[in-house]
Amino acid sequence: DGGITQSPKYLFRKEGQNVTLSCEQNLNHDAMYWYRQDPGQGLRLIYYSQIVNDFQKGDIAEGYSVSREKKESFPLTVTSAQKNPTAFYLCASTRLAGGPGNEQFFGPGTRLTVL
Amino acid sequence: GDSVTQMEGPVTLSEEAFLTINCTYTATGYPSLFWYVQYPGEGLQLLLKATKADDKGSNKGFEATYRKETTSFHLEKGSVQVSDSAVYFCALSDQTGTASKLTFGTGTRLQVTL
């Protein structure tokens, strides 16, 4: 079955450590996205990528980094510069052809807790 | 910039009650509008969408109509079930870019009781 996988589901890290969250899709989608979800704040866009080896900052990119070396993979690194990294992180993807009416498909999310 | 405003939750209803979750938006141009649903501990799933004014999206008994004159996309269901308990997000898609970026509302939690 096609879909988006994120791993791990739960992640615990000590303050000051970098951590990388995995996102893989087998939908052959062009664009991929990372969102952060905090209670009562909805989803906020961290980074997105339209094609391999290219990505753009979203609304809250500070303290995060990404790479897009393969079409199907878009890992997110939460660096020690991110002041409040504890959150639920969601990866999504979509086709570009057809325009903004295309839905974004979401992975199951990774809950990161920084101790 | 673009923004989406949803009614505050939680919304608590008895089974078979009528549901309305209000959503209004601010956007330049002509965005596409979406409702996503999130069950506990999971990612988001598309519930329905509308891509132009007066379009009605529908799925699983839920409906929403794209009203450009009132910049609204209210979600309705005639008879809710316990299994509808979830968080519902209204979102709009940026019409101007090539990579469709979604702007989300803050979400509305629905709790349906027997």
Side-chain angles (χ1 to χ4, degrees):
Chain A
D1 285 338
I4 301 177
T5 57
Q6 291 186 242
S7 61
K9 189 169 177 66
Y10 299 95
L11 190 55
F12 297 89
R13 278 295 181 268
K14 291 183 179 178
E15 199 170 330
Q17 289 182 330
N18 292 356
V19 61
T20 297
L21 281 59
S22 168
C23 176
E24 304 275 335
Q25 54 98 0
N26 60 4
L27 300 166
N28 198 31
H29 284 171
D30 309 291
M32 297 185 73
Y33 307 79
W34 274 105
Y35 294 91
R36 170 181 172 138
Q37 185 178 16
D38 295 283
Q41 293 194 44
L43 278 72
R44 293 180 290 169
L45 182 64
I46 304 173
Y47 269 98
Y48 65 102
S49 168
Q50 300 178 63
I51 57 172
V52 173
N53 293 323
D54 187 48
F55 45 83
Q56 287 77 41
K57 293 181 179 180
D59 301 319
I60 56 164
E62 186 174 348
Y64 299 97
S65 65
V66 294
S67 63
R68 187 89 184 276
E69 296 177 2
K70 300 185 295 182
K71 186 176 183 179
E72 58 270 21
S73 178
F74 191 42
L76 173 75
T77 297
V78 184
T79 75
S80 56
Q82 168 49 233
K83 301 244 184 309
N84 185 18
T86 294
F88 191 50
Y89 291 87
L90 287 160
C91 179
S93 70
T94 190
R95 294 182 297 117
L96 287 181
N102 293 337
E103 70 171 285
Q104 289 188 14
F105 290 79
F106 284 80
T110 292
R111 185 166 298 281
L112 172 64
T113 302
V114 175
L115 306 171
Chain B
D2 296 346
S3 66
V4 175
T5 302
Q6 285 182 240
M7 63 188 288
E8 295 263 341
V11 173
T12 302
L13 295 173
S14 299
E15 199 170 48
E16 299 184 1
F18 184 85
L19 169 71
T20 300
I21 300 178
N22 290 337
C23 171
T24 57
Y25 67 90
T26 302
T28 54
Y30 303 95
S32 294
L33 301 173
F34 303 83
W35 277 101
Y36 281 85
V37 60
Q38 184 179 35
Y39 298 100
E42 298 183 6
L44 275 66
Q45 303 172 26
L46 179 69
L47 182 59
L48 53 84
K49 70 178 185 182
T51 58
K52 61 182 188 296
D54 300 325
D55 266 3
K56 177 187 280 189
S58 61
N59 186 27
K60 299 180 182 179
F62 291 90
E63 293 183 341
T65 301
Y66 189 162
R67 302 282 188 203
K68 189 169 183 299
E69 63 277 14
T70 55
T71 61
S72 65
F73 193 54
H74 304 322
L75 182 68
E76 297 182 335
K77 187 175 186 184
S79 176
V80 294
Q81 305 300 312
V82 172
S83 57
D84 294 326
S85 299
V87 180
Y88 292 82
F89 290 93
C90 185
L92 67 82
S93 181
D94 178 3
Q95 187 85 4
T96 56
T98 54
S100 57
K101 292 190 290 179
L102 288 175
T103 299
F104 286 89
T106 53
T108 302
R109 181 176 300 278
L110 170 65
Q111 181 71 44
V112 180
T113 59
L114 291 171

